[in-house]
Amino acid sequence: MKLHQKTILITGASSGLGRAMAVELSRQGNRLVVTARREALLLELAREIEANGGRCLPIAADATDGAACQGVIDAAIAAFGPIDLAVLNAGGTPAQRMGATSVEAVLGTMRTNYDTLVNYLCPMIDHMRERGGTIAYTCSPAGAFGLPKSGPYSAAKSAGRVLFDTCRIELADTPIRFVATYPGFTYTEGLADAEVPIKALIIQKDRAVREMLRAIERGWAHHMFPRRIRWPVMLARLLPEPVRRRVLQLAERLG
Ligand SMILES: NC(=O)c1ccc[n+]([C@@H]2O[C@H](COP(=O)([O-])OP(=O)(O)OC[C@H]3O[C@@H](n4cnc5c(N)ncnc54)[C@H](OP(=O)(O)O)[C@@H]3O)[C@@H](O)[C@H]2O)c1
């Protein structure tokens, strides 16, 4: 898919990766529908996109509200026609320790990272089933297995990853592509420095956006980056769970 003169919906576009991706895509003549809750930030983004020569429809909506998400999709189609690419990127990475959190906080992390995905994923499948298109999901290496200090986030991203895997199987005979990207630690408004165990692992937002767009253009099912995150994660996934658990316990004690 060439990302040129396309209609593109981006969720979680008011800051961080979603915003940076919207700005980048606006330079290539795309029609952008940007959504998140913070309206003032979306309006500021829309002005920047239009200054770049792109067209933009900003819509403030809470992605945990299914009816509001359907409203965003309907408004996008009414303004710009069928959606070619949906980047389902809304989410958040709170540090939470099991035993030191609450039912409400754990379920809140699930709503922010999983409900916000599903509320767009199902209607986007219906919309693209005949005509085709790409649905991209911003997952995380944290979704590969349960991590200390971010168990609820790991669980939510893991749920999204597994759901996407099923979409690729069940909807293989449709013209929809399902692309999951897994950015390593990236400097954004959503990432507190304190949450990163080794600062050398952090990458810049522009680099992450380039990697995500490369995966979308090429239709890769999965793209985890950078390599210094991908290889340890893949290796750890191959380990028997008791061994991986011991390694993570040790890493937690040292970190
Ligand atoms: N930064 C990293 O290191 C990293 C690594 C791997 C994966 N990710 C994932 O990348 C995505 C973007 O994160 P980021 O780092 O760019 O953080 P960010 O700057 O905090 O962006 C998160 C975006 O999600 C939106 N959002 C959150 N809850 C929402 C809701 N209920 N309804 C609608 N929009 C909502 C926020 O907008 P409003 O607050 O305005 O609603 C914001 O635009 C997330 O899914 C995150 O899990 C990030």
Side-chain angles (χ1 to χ4, degrees):
M1 177 189 245
K2 276 266 160 274
L3 295 172
H4 177 63
Q5 300 205 331
K6 297 282 191 287
T7 295
I8 300 173
L9 167 70
I10 304 179
T11 76
S14 59
S15 62
L17 292 168
R19 187 188 199 286
M21 183 180 282
V23 170
E24 180 58 32
L25 287 168
S26 70
R27 301 193 180 106
Q28 295 150 42
N30 295 295
R31 299 169 291 276
L32 288 149
V33 181
V34 292
T35 183
R37 291 164 302 184
R38 288 171 291 174
E39 189 168 26
L41 294 181
L42 293 176
L43 294 174
E44 188 189 305
L45 170 62
R47 282 193 290 277
E48 189 172 339
I49 287 175
E50 277 155 15
N52 285 342
R55 293 173 68 197
C56 183
L57 176 66
I59 312 178
D62 186 338
T64 62
D65 175 344
C69 298
Q70 185 63 59
V72 170
I73 293 170
D74 293 344
I77 297 167
F80 294 145
I83 298 167
D84 301 294
L85 165 65
V87 182
L88 308 186
N89 168 78
T93 42
Q96 279 171 315
R97 267 178 181 284
M98 295 310 290
T101 183
S102 65
V103 171
E104 189 41 45
V106 173
L107 294 178
T109 299
M110 193 54 120
R111 280 193 289 276
T112 300
N113 287 284
Y114 185 72
D115 294 19
T116 56
L117 169 69
V118 175
N119 280 333
Y120 281 101
L121 177 61
C122 294
M124 283 314 310
I125 289 172
D126 292 343
H127 175 63
M128 290 180 173
R129 189 185 286 271
E130 301 300 330
R131 192 180 166 274
T134 297
I135 305 178
Y137 165 42
T138 313
C139 192
S140 167
F145 40 77
L147 285 177
K149 295 183 195 156
S150 46
Y153 178 69
S154 282
K157 290 296 190 187
S158 167
R161 173 177 61 79
V162 170
L163 191 63
F164 250 56
D165 288 349
T166 300
C167 288
R168 276 185 217 102
I169 299 164
E170 291 184 338
L171 297 161
D173 60 352
T174 71
I176 309 176
R177 291 198 169 204
F178 295 92
V179 174
T181 61
Y182 307 75
F185 298 109
T186 309
Y187 273 123
T188 64
E189 293 82 336
L191 182 83
D193 241 21
E195 289 166 33
V196 184
I198 307 168
K199 301 293 174 250
L201 291 178
I202 303 180
I203 59 171
Q204 297 299 322
K205 209 161 38 186
D206 291 352
R207 157 96 193 276
V209 166
R210 273 200 309 278
E211 294 282 353
M212 292 162 80
L213 292 178
R214 194 155 68 104
I216 291 169
E217 284 188 331
R218 297 182 187 186
W220 291 340
H222 304 275
H223 184 41
M224 192 179 294
F225 56 88
R227 282 200 195 99
R228 58 186 184 271
I229 290 270
R230 186 193 314 153
W231 292 114
V233 169
M234 286 174 74
L235 188 67
R237 279 187 78 171
L238 294 175
L239 293 174
E241 196 276 334
V243 179
R244 186 169 62 235
R245 193 190 328 149
R246 295 289 299 158
V247 172
L248 289 171
Q249 280 170 341
L250 195 67
E252 201 202 359
R253 254 177 243 138
L254 294 174

